[in-house]
Amino acid sequence: MENNLSWQEFEKVAMRVGTILAVDDFPEARKPAYQLTIDFGADIGIRKTSAQITKRYLKSDLLNRQIVAVVNFPKKQIGKFMSECLILGAVGDNGDVVLLAPDFKIENGLRIG
């Protein structure tokens, strides 16, 4: 890889565990997506985001599921929706996303390192 990050740069990325509280359709999105409401614990609070994960996940699969997300990117306007974090997943060649998640239920807001 050409663009190697320093350890100090990596430490600036705040990846945290959160639990999905609500999943809504996002019909205004250009590509099929959900609007998600995620609890990142007392220190970070509730954040919203959209995710193009409809190929693999039903809304019922996502509710109360823990995920990993970056919580310190600037907010991003997506149509009329404001995205406040970025859910992380492995992206296949056809855009099929598999979410990153802890193996066991853990405290919301824990830092990934």
Side-chain angles (χ1 to χ4, degrees):
M1 295 208 142
E2 293 293 320
N3 296 322
N4 293 325
L5 294 175
S6 70
W7 185 255
Q8 289 177 331
E9 290 170 319
F10 172 72
E11 286 182 320
K12 292 179 184 179
V13 180
M15 292 178 282
R16 302 297 176 111
V17 174
T19 299
I20 299 172
L21 301 177
V23 183
D24 298 302
D25 292 322
F26 192 3
E28 299 87 8
R30 283 184 269 159
K31 294 182 181 179
Y34 295 128
Q35 293 177 346
L36 307 172
T37 303
I38 305 165
D39 180 2
F40 289 102
D43 290 342
I44 298 167
I46 306 295
R47 301 271 177 102
K48 293 185 176 188
T49 192
S50 66
Q52 296 172 359
I53 54 175
T54 60
K55 288 183 181 181
R56 184 173 292 269
Y57 299 98
L58 300 173
K59 290 191 287 186
S60 60
D61 296 332
L62 297 167
L63 198 58
N64 299 315
R65 179 188 177 104
Q66 287 195 303
I67 50 79
V68 175
V70 176
V71 297
N72 66 334
F73 282 138
K75 293 179 182 180
K76 183 177 180 181
Q77 189 76 41
I78 303 171
K80 295 180 181 180
F81 183 78
M82 183 65 72
S83 181
E84 302 169 318
C85 61
L86 175 68
I87 289 186
L88 299 178
V91 183
D93 290 337
N94 63 357
D96 186 25
V97 177
V98 175
L99 295 173
L100 299 185
D103 288 338
F104 304 99
K105 180 126 176 101
I106 57 176
E107 182 183 338
N108 288 332
L110 287 181
R111 189 175 196 282
I112 303 299

